[in-house]
DNA sequence: AGCACGCCGACT
DNA sequence: GTCGGCGTGCTC
């Protein structure tokens, strides 16, 4: 018997192994331990007895870990589809769907604990002891000898009392905490008064303490909008046919309530729901809501869980004890038997795209999963991606609109501050404009809260020499170093390769003494807010601030509890969280991201500004947003202020059509790495030529050009951009182009449907 | 990705 | 004379 196995090696396709006669035939999805070169690895069975022996001589598998399967076959197939679509290796893709720890060779690794419970004999003895010798055993009296075998010492009686008052028994690990010595417990066990049994414990990630939903008053009644949406979506879910619905609802319109009710409906038909959220930080809130409705039959899956927690959750899902899975990107591969509903919340969010191989977009994989399962796929967003909205108006997706906020709360009022005028009036060093300063101070005084957003980390964005006009650059990457910290603690850091150095006192190029810092990031904004509002309690939320485990949760709950007045941060503060005391959102520079030459720059800016403005005024007080910009007339900014999605879509669509970008064409971004610039460009040129020859006229190949980051981590990079309508053709052309150049294949990064070409 | 084999510098 | 640098090449 021959099997085809996916092994966790990026460049390898399926490999064929033999199954010895004394081993049962492995099912698809089972893990097998196989020899690979001089190593031994764990792979997944993908096909049975299929292919003719390919390549060198076939080796037998070492061990079959799961005679009854592990990964469900349809999830294996989904991973295969993903690998193919995104031009990635099968093995590295299947590695995502594996339960953690599965690389190890143990078939199962459940944590268990010993539980002690009082037996019937123990209860009888305790009663007899109480009635037989009331109060006769003083604290100092020596323990009575157990002459008849049922008499109890003081310690034993205390232990039995403690156990009898614990209905579920007491875990062995907690005995000491209840004043029960281990030798006492052991004696009681020998007497038969106490029973010990092993209990499997699922390490429960919920127990880690989730942020409670702040305004949770049980079953809320639905708005008219919500009822209409729910009625239509329920009809689709009940049809048991595949359908995608785009739920376009302004922030605060109550999309989550609809997910909850749809999940309940789907559960009543015996199927499960899969709910994807863009960020780990959003899972606890979503999970808490679902737990209220579904109790323990809710699992979460994301990379922030410990291996043990993930493993337990995975096993519970696969075992069929779960109705709802909530998770981030990789949860799209959760081993649910029969999903009837797949929700992708904030579907436009870039976090759904994995920025390393396999470069899949979980939103799109979710749609394929829904298609194969005959499920309803609900994409929710206040600012849908251009692609999804296009499908919705073309009728390919069902379009559901929620344009009223619950309780009819008004959207924030938005003010745009033209920073050119501010600079003219206040000087070019202005970080916070007068209107924003005043608005923050006012919030602090009124004990309300403010969010201040700047999508750029660090203190200063560059170190600049006034003498030679040079800037401090990373030695490994073609970017300038960003200053972190102030005073003595200043360091210049590369945001791409993590290179760091102290900020020099003289220019390393010309030895000139006139080094200046230019530009600013979140650290500088934090300092400015502290300077302007001395009494204010200010926190900062960005990747640097939450590097420590638990720091994110602590910051968010401090802000939620009102222990902070102002929270400064990157886009991390713009996502999801429902802060009810926030009445001001300030955007320090709406232009970060607009200046870059990326085809999605306007879309991202519009989404970010719209989302962040929606953060203000979720409580009963009206919110205000102040947006600082150098381009007050830019359509992304103008239309985000008016929260006019439809107008933005039309405007942006013109640009995409004119420049031939998605959703009008599909694109594949190709980066070729090499030790020298010439080699990178040369290889990219050869690749481009081969693709052009292989597909005459069917697609456009742009490039080669130096990649936007021409040098990264010490390597040079050249870029190609493929545009066409047929993704399959593009993938195949690339595949054949590198087929006889394995070295080149290894240095080539292929990104199908990139979110950014930078 | 690992982990081999493989061909040239500074050490016991 | 060896130990070891990491440059190519293979893994059913």
């Amino acid at each position: 018997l021959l099997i085809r196995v996916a092994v966790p090696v990026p460049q390898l396709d399926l490999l064929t192994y033999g199954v010895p006669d004394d081993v049962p035939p492995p099912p698809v999805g089972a893990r097998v331990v196989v020899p690979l070169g001089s190593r031994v690895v764990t792979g997944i069975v993908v096909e049975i007895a299929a292919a003719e022996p390919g390549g060198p001589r076939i080796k037998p598998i070492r061990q079959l870990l799961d005679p009854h399967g592990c990964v469900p076959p349809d999830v294996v197939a989904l991973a295969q589809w993903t690998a193919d679509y995104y031009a990635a290796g099968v093995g590295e893709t299947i590695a995502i769907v594996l339960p953690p720890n599965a690389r190890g060779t143990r078939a199962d690794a459940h944590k268990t604990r010993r539980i002690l419970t009082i037996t019937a004999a123990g209860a009888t003895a305790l009663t007899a002891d109480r009635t037989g010798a009331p109060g006769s055993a003083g604290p100092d009296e020596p323990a009575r000898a157990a002459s008849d075998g049922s008499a109890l010492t003081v310690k034993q009686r205390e232990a039995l009392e403690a156990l009898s008052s614990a209905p579920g028994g007491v875990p062995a690990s907690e005995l000491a905490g209840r004043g029960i010595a281990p030798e006492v417990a052991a004696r009681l066990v020998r007497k038969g008064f106490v029973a010990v049994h092993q209990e499997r414990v699922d390490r429960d990630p919920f127990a880690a303490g989730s942020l409670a939903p702040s305004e949770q008053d049980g079953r809320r009644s639905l708005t008219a909008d919500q009822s209409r949406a729910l009625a239509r979506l329920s009809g689709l879910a009940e049809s048991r046919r595949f359908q995608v619905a785009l739920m376009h609802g302004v922030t605060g319109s109550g999309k989550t309530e609809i997910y909850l009710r749809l999940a309940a409906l789907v559960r009543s038909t015996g199927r499960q729901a899969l709910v994807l959220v863009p960020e780990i930080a959003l899972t606890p809130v979503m999970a808490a809501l679902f737990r209220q409705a579904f109790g323990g039959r809710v699992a979460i899956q994301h990379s922030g869980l410990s291996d043990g927690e993930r493993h337990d959750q995975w096993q519970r899902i696969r075992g069929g004890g779960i109705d709802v899975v909530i998770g981030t990107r990789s949860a799209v591969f959760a081993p649910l038997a029969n999903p009837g509903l797949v929700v992708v919340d904030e579907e436009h969010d870039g976090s759904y795209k994995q920025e390393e191989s396999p470069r899949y977009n979980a939103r799109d994989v979710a749609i394929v999963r829904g298609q194969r399962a005959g499920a309803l796929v609900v994409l929710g967003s206040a600012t849908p991606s251009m692609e999804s909205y296009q499908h919705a108006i073309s009728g390919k997706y069902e379009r559901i609109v929620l344009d009223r906020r619950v309780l009819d709360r008004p959207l924030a009022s938005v003010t745009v501050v033209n920073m050119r005028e501010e600079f003219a009036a206040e000087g070019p060093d202005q970080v916070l404009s007068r209107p924003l300063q005043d608005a923050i101070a006012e919030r602090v005084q009124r004990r309300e809260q403010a969010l201040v957003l700047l999508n750029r980390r660090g203190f200063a964005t560059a170190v600049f020499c006034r003498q030679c006009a040079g800037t401090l650059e990373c030695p490994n990457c073609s970017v300038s170093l960003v200053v972190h910290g102030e005073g003595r603690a200043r360091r210049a850091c590369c945001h791409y390769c993590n290179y760091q150095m102290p900020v020099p006192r003289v220019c390393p190029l010309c030895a000139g003494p006139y080094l200046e810092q230019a530009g600013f990031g979140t650290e500088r904004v934090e300092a400015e807010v502290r300077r302007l509002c001395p009494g204010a309690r200010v926190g900062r939320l960005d990747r640097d601030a939450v590097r420590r485990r638990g720091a994110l949760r602590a910051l968010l709950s401090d802000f939620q509890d009102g222990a902070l007045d102002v929270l400064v941060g990157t886009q991390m503060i713009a996502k999801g969280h429902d802060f009810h005391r926030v009445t001001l959102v300030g955007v320090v520079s709406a232009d970060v991201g607009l200046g870059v030459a990326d085809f999605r720059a306007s879309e991202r800016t519009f989404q970010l500004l719209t989302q962040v403005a929606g953060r203000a005024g979720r409580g009963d007080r009206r919110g205000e947003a102040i947006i600082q910009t150098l381009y007050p007339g830019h359509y992304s900014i103008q239309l985000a202020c008016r929260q006019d999605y439809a107008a933005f879509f039309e405007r942006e669509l013109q640009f995409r059509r004119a420049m031939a970008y998605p959703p009008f064409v599909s694109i594949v971004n190709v980066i070729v790495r090499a030790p020298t610039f010439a080699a990178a460009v040369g290889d990219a040129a050869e690749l481009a030529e081969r693709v052009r020859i292989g597909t005459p006229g069917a697609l456009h190949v742009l490039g080669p050009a130096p990649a936007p980051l021409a040098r990264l981590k010490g390597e040079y990079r050249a870029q190609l951009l493929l545009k066409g309508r047929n993704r399959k053709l593009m993938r195949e052309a690339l595949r054949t182009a590198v087929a006889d150049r394995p070295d080149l294949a290894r240095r080539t990064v292929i990104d199908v449907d990139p979110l950014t070409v930078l």
Side-chain angles (χ1 to χ4, degrees), chain A residues 1 19-26 64 67:
Chain A
L1 178 61
V19 180
D21 291 339
D22 57 337
V23 174
L64 169 59

Side-chain angles (χ1 to χ4, degrees), chain A residues 670-674 677-695 701-705 718-720 722 733-745 747-748:
Chain A
V670 181
I671 302 270
V672 179
R673 298 178 289 127
F677 182 71
V681 174
D683 283 338
E686 186 184 340
L687 197 56
E689 196 48 35
R690 289 174 173 221
V691 171
R692 285 194 189 100
I693 291 167
T695 59
V701 183
L702 285 76
Q719 181 179 34
L720 301 177
L722 274 55
L734 281 167
R735 190 164 296 171
T736 48
V738 298
D740 59 339
R741 292 281 307 274
D743 60 315
L744 181 55
R747 290 184 286 112
T748 304

